[in-house]
Amino acid sequence: MVELDGWRKLEQQGHIAFKVRLDDLIPESFQVSERVENTYDRQGKITGTRTLYTQEMTYTFAATAVITDYEGAHIIDKVLADRGRKYTFRSPEFPVKQVA
């Protein structure tokens, strides 16, 4: 969501145009992690265990925006994301390693 003070949204032919370019997402590493969860009885003794698996992926992507006015005159180029920053995606936990 973008808020621009002093402007109003038009259905077509607005005063400024935003063109956003999203470059490819490039995975850098994958890893499956496990977490062991114990279950206890009322006396505090371990009655069972279960292992849950999740996948973590580190990736980068780049995005830029070009802003022009209604006549097509260039206003500004803006870098929204660059490959210098790494992001991490973590999947939900699964009881089966192959599913993760």
Side-chain angles (χ1 to χ4, degrees):
M1 175 176 254
V2 176
E3 182 178 322
L4 301 171
D5 292 330
W7 297 88
R8 64 187 162 101
K9 181 179 178 180
L10 301 175
E11 294 302 319
Q12 57 185 333
Q13 298 177 346
H15 293 283
I16 58 174
F18 295 85
K19 292 183 182 177
V20 177
R21 177 186 167 144
L22 300 173
D23 290 342
D24 291 336
L25 184 140
I26 298 177
E28 293 191 356
S29 65
F30 294 91
Q31 171 181 323
V32 176
S33 302
E34 66 179 53
R35 180 175 67 87
V36 177
E37 188 176 83
N38 296 323
T39 55
Y40 301 90
D41 64 9
R42 292 182 184 205
Q43 288 77 33
K45 289 185 173 184
I46 296 175
T47 58
T49 61
R50 72 176 185 162
T51 305
L52 299 169
Y53 302 91
T54 185
Q55 183 183 67
E56 293 181 4
M57 177 182 73
T58 303
Y59 64 94
T60 64
F61 76 98
T64 56
V66 176
I67 303 172
T68 56
D69 69 6
Y70 68 97
E71 294 177 331
H74 181 265
I75 297 174
I76 193 171
D77 290 337
K78 185 75 175 167
V79 175
L80 303 175
D82 64 25
R83 299 220 181 261
R85 182 171 177 198
K86 296 179 192 250
Y87 299 88
T88 302
F89 168 78
R90 185 180 175 128
S91 74
E93 291 182 316
F94 298 98
V96 179
K97 186 174 185 175
Q98 290 78 3
V99 175

